[in-house]
Amino acid sequence: MSKFRIISNFSLHTQHAFYTTSARPKPQKFRRLTRFLLGVGVLSGGVWTYDYFYNYSTLERNFRTVFNAAIIGLDYYFNFKAENAEHIDDLHLRSAQRMLKTCLKNGGLYIKFGQQIASLNGISPPQYSDTFRVLFDDAPSVPYAEVSKIICKDFNVSDPSEIFSSISEQPIASASIAQVHTATLKDANKTKIAVKIQKPAIENQIYMDLFTFRNVLLVFEYFYDLPLSFSSKYVEKHMLMETDFVNEARNCKEAAVRLAQNPVVAERAYVPKVYEELTSKRVLTLEWIDGIRFQDLPQHEDEFPKVEIMETVVDVFADQIFRSGFVHCDPHAGNLLIRKNPQNPLKNQVVLLDHGLYIHCTEKFRHEYALLWKSVFTNDTENIRKVAKGWGINDTEMFSQSTMHQRFDVKTDTVKVDLNDKKEMFKIQQEASKRVKKFLADTDKIPRELIFIGRNLNIVRSNNKYLGSPVNRINMMANWAIKEIGPDWSAWANKTTIENEKLLTRQPTINLILDEVLFVIKSRFNYWTFRVGLLLSSIVFQVTETWKQLNGALFGKRVGGFEEFLDSQMKNEMEQKFGIVIDEAAFDG
């Protein structure tokens, strides 16, 4: 009995020990977990509240970006394979759509990032440019109450009526970083003005957005094995400048001064006056200009002939590229107005708007770029390779095709592309990636000006195409290029001015005389080869114009003009020679 009691007591003590050692900590662990989760919830709620109400959802936007970038990255990692070639187009499309939704949801600078992705045609798959095309439409505006706070804060007033006689509550235009309101000055005439106001979220979001942009380029670089991030610092620098309206005011004044320096374009174009006393980093006040939009030009052709207006547009931006070196990098149709010259109503005038994005081109770059245009027309392969190599570009033919829409004849293997064979297209995309990588061989040498010069050329081409290609843009640009080269015959003989001076200072000998004769022959031959090239281009232009007009008059059929012809030629060349499929939207600016 005592033995049983001992065993029973031992059993009870054992059970008691078991419960005290294993059951009691459970409530403590539960309480610790509860406190941890509660703390995380409170902290997360606090961060979200601060981010949403005081930080314009900057953290949420960037978390959304990182999350979607990770999804896209994993999608490519697991599905971009040869055995999945039949579904590669679907992969590109869903990735592009996911990125587009992210840009639209985030808004602000993400709209510009999306526009940059849309401009990577020929590098990124065509599904991206097609999907991102919607980002070139007007962006949604923010309520007047929000932008009025910016005016009050920047000018230390309690209400905009303290500095403006009146201001419209509804914006007349809205873009990714700002919107424009009409207003009147507090003067005797109540002068009408345009007030460009930065959207309130931009100031808080911009640095995190640029950080994200840099990393998105790195993701593209990793998955496509292409050197894309080399341009990020340059692009970021100019995006920051674009959000500084004091800088835009300076650009307006400098653009006006440089425009006035050249009588060829001085009276044909105009930059609105800036009201500096009503301008801050986030508010830009400009002279109001009455005119018709470039997009509406076809409905006003009797008053404003398309040929004359487009010649002015090409001349103005060619003058910036080849002479002044101060280049407007966003000359799309929405940034151009047409009016009669107030000083001479018999003449028409193009008004340049939105001066936030400009670049300065060095004299060296302008000269080399002019030589490149000259060399393409003379089919001077030696000089083209020399310029391209100096810029870190190893694929000269692709460069001349993509930059100037000009054919550069070298021996290259033709790629026969069957767009319906998905496995073949997968291989071609991989080969195209290798060729683009070769094209961007030495990114340290690539002039950063090319990034935005290419943008300018593409938009001007799109403007010309929109009007039905009324002018031969290629010939006009080439003539501006040789103006930059100047009267020095050394450039036409592929000699530097110093080499030519040495030639002239040598003692006269038979060899010297032969060298001088060869110099004259070569330089004059290249010059007239250039002129013949322009003549042939003019003939092709006139043939396409005549064919277009005949089809319209006789059959009521619309036929593409000269720009469409060049676009088609480039598209076919890039597909057949390089295996790069370019979406039609790439040629629409």
Side-chain angles (χ1 to χ4, degrees):
M1 195 67 183
S2 58
K3 185 178 181 181
F4 175 77
R5 189 175 294 121
I6 292 171
I7 294 173
S8 298
N9 289 338
F10 176 77
S11 176
L12 288 172
H13 283 300
T14 304
Q15 290 179 18
H16 178 72
F18 174 78
Y19 285 118
T20 55
T21 55
S22 62
R24 283 186 180 178
K26 281 189 175 180
Q28 294 177 4
K29 287 185 177 180
F30 179 76
R31 283 194 295 269
R32 283 199 296 268
L33 179 61
T34 302
R35 285 197 297 267
F36 174 76
L37 293 176
L38 184 61
V40 169
V42 170
L43 180 62
S44 299
V47 170
W48 181 88
T49 301
Y50 169 78
D51 189 48
Y52 182 80
F53 289 103
Y54 302 101
N55 201 35
Y56 296 97
S57 300
T58 300
L59 296 177
E60 179 187 348
R61 294 162 77 251
N62 286 280
F63 174 79
R64 182 184 297 118
T65 303
V66 171
F67 175 78
N68 283 287
I71 296 294
I72 292 170
L74 290 171
D75 201 1
Y76 272 99
Y77 181 80
F78 288 109
N79 296 309
F80 192 71
K81 297 177 180 178
E83 58 268 25
N84 195 39
E86 292 290 328
H87 304 288
I88 293 299
D89 286 350
D90 295 333
L91 169 63
H92 292 323
L93 182 60
R94 67 174 175 265
S95 298
Q97 289 173 340
R98 180 177 287 275
M99 292 175 69
L100 175 65
K101 288 178 182 177
T102 302
C103 290
L104 290 173
K105 184 73 174 175
N106 287 348
L109 284 181
Y110 278 85
I111 302 297
K112 286 194 172 292
F113 300 155
Q115 291 171 352
Q116 290 293 325
I117 293 170
S119 69
L120 292 175
N121 210 289
I123 296 178
S124 63
Q127 289 83 358
Y128 281 82
S129 59
D130 187 50
T131 300
F132 278 82
R133 197 185 313 171
V134 298
L135 293 180
F136 290 102
D137 298 334
D138 285 345
S141 60
V142 300
Y144 173 73
E146 293 188 36
V147 295
S148 67
K149 290 178 183 176
I150 290 178
I151 296 174
C152 294
K153 184 176 181 180
D154 281 22
F155 294 100
N156 195 27
V157 296
S158 59
D159 190 84
S161 61
E162 294 183 39
I163 56 174
F164 301 118
S165 177
S166 66
I167 182 169
S168 65
E169 293 194 4
Q170 291 298 320
I172 58 171
S174 179
S176 57
I177 65 173
Q179 57 194 53
V180 180
H181 294 252
T182 57
T184 55
L185 292 175
K186 285 194 164 189
D187 59 4
N189 299 321
K190 293 193 181 301
T191 305
K192 190 176 182 181
I193 52 176
V195 184
K196 180 178 178 181
I197 310 167
Q198 189 177 113
K199 293 179 178 178
I202 299 300
E203 187 177 41
N204 287 68
Q205 296 170 347
I206 184 168
Y207 291 101
M208 282 295 292
D209 286 354
L210 290 175
F211 173 79
T212 306
F213 168 72
R214 192 183 316 130
N215 284 281
V216 166
L217 282 181
L218 288 171
V219 170
F220 263 78
E221 188 171 74
Y222 176 79
F223 284 106
Y224 293 113
D225 193 26
L226 294 172
L228 298 176
S229 62
F230 76 92
S231 65
S232 63
K233 286 186 179 179
Y234 187 77
V235 172
E236 287 174 31
K237 171 188 170 185
H238 283 84
M239 281 189 170
L240 280 171
M241 292 169 66
E242 194 175 359
T243 61
D244 181 355
F245 292 171
V246 172
N247 176 69
E248 183 170 349
R250 284 195 297 266
N251 288 347
C252 287
K253 291 187 288 184
E254 185 170 353
V257 168
R258 296 197 183 215
L259 195 63
Q261 292 171 348
N262 189 349
V264 175
V265 293
E267 293 186 2
R268 298 160 62 198
Y270 183 77
V271 176
K273 171 189 170 184
V274 176
Y275 291 89
E276 294 185 60
E277 69 278 9
L278 295 174
T279 293
S280 68
K281 190 170 182 178
R282 296 185 296 170
V283 179
L284 176 65
T285 304
L286 297 163
E287 168 188 9
W288 175 263
I289 303 291
D290 283 312
I292 68 164
R293 300 185 309 164
F294 185 88
Q295 302 98 307
D296 299 331
L297 199 57
Q299 288 80 48
H300 300 269
E301 192 173 359
D302 291 341
E303 188 178 9
F304 302 103
K306 289 190 292 185
V307 172
E308 178 190 345
I309 299 304
M310 199 61 223
E311 281 179 348
T312 297
V313 171
V314 175
D315 281 341
V316 166
F317 295 117
D319 173 66
Q320 290 183 347
I321 292 171
F322 292 112
R323 183 193 64 83
S324 78
F326 189 59
V327 185
H328 190 310
C329 300
D330 200 16
H332 64 76
N335 288 337
L336 303 173
L337 287 179
I338 317 300
R339 69 171 184 177
K340 294 294 180 182
N341 189 330
Q343 309 304 321
N344 186 353
L346 296 177
K347 293 186 177 182
N348 298 318
Q349 194 174 64
V350 175
V351 181
L352 310 182
L353 306 176
D354 195 353
H355 298 266
L357 186 57
Y358 267 78
I359 60 167
H360 285 88
C361 298
T362 64
E363 184 176 350
K364 178 177 181 291
F365 172 81
R366 285 188 287 113
H367 185 68
E368 289 176 342
Y369 196 58
L371 286 176
L372 190 67
W373 274 82
K374 182 268 295 183
S375 300
V376 167
F377 271 86
T378 57
N379 202 33
D380 186 349
T381 59
E382 178 187 349
N383 202 49
I384 292 174
R385 286 195 179 98
K386 181 180 177 182
V387 173
K389 187 176 181 181
W391 288 354
I393 295 169
N394 283 354
D395 199 322
T396 314
E397 184 179 17
M398 181 184 285
F399 177 62
S400 63
Q401 282 276 5
S402 59
T403 305
M404 289 169 283
H405 272 202
Q406 288 294 303
R407 185 173 182 176
F408 171 49
D409 292 320
V410 295
K411 292 182 180 179
T412 125
D413 296 330
T414 297
V415 179
K416 293 185 179 180
V417 181
D418 182 1
L419 298 179
N420 296 315
D421 190 332
K422 300 299 181 183
K423 290 185 178 181
E424 183 180 351
M425 283 300 299
F426 178 80
K427 292 179 182 177
I428 287 170
Q429 286 183 23
Q430 290 184 313
E431 290 301 317
S433 176
K434 292 178 184 177
R435 184 138 194 181
V436 172
K437 191 174 181 179
K438 177 186 175 185
F439 173 70
L440 301 171
D442 191 347
T443 55
D444 290 336
K445 292 183 180 179
I446 295 177
R448 300 307 187 254
E449 296 97 323
L450 278 176
I451 299 167
F452 289 116
I453 291 294
R455 176 184 172 89
N456 176 290
L457 292 178
N458 193 39
I459 294 174
V460 172
R461 180 180 68 221
S462 176
N463 292 339
N464 191 33
K465 181 179 175 180
Y466 173 76
L467 296 182
S469 307
V471 303
N472 188 339
R473 178 183 56 87
I474 297 295
N475 275 24
M476 292 178 68
M477 292 287 293
N479 276 309
W480 277 95
I482 62 170
K483 285 181 185 178
E484 200 289 327
I485 293 172
D488 184 5
W489 284 104
S490 302
W492 294 96
N494 291 343
K495 289 183 179 293
T496 65
T497 304
I498 295 174
E499 288 174 331
N500 191 34
E501 289 174 353
K502 287 181 178 178
L503 181 68
L504 295 175
T505 54
R506 282 164 51 190
Q507 291 297 322
T509 62
I510 295 297
N511 288 336
L512 175 60
I513 293 171
L514 287 174
D515 284 346
E516 289 180 350
V517 170
L518 288 173
F519 171 80
V520 171
I521 292 173
K522 185 176 182 180
S523 59
R524 272 58 174 182
F525 176 79
N526 284 338
Y527 175 79
W528 286 109
T529 300
F530 175 83
R531 287 296 174 193
V532 169
L534 291 184
L535 176 62
L536 293 175
S537 175
S538 296
I539 291 171
V540 173
F541 173 76
Q542 290 301 329
V543 168
T544 56
E545 279 296 292
T546 303
W547 178 247
K548 181 179 72 174
Q549 292 172 12
L550 283 175
N551 272 273
L554 298 178
F555 309 109
K557 181 181 177 183
R558 186 194 178 282
V559 176
F562 188 56
E563 293 289 356
E564 283 89 346
F565 170 77
L566 292 175
D567 292 347
S568 176
Q569 182 186 49
M570 177 185 175
K571 187 174 185 295
N572 292 335
E573 290 280 331
M574 295 294 276
E575 286 181 7
Q576 298 303 322
K577 286 194 173 182
F578 311 119
I580 295 177
V581 180
I582 299 181
D583 183 63
E584 294 290 344
F587 305 114
D588 295 331

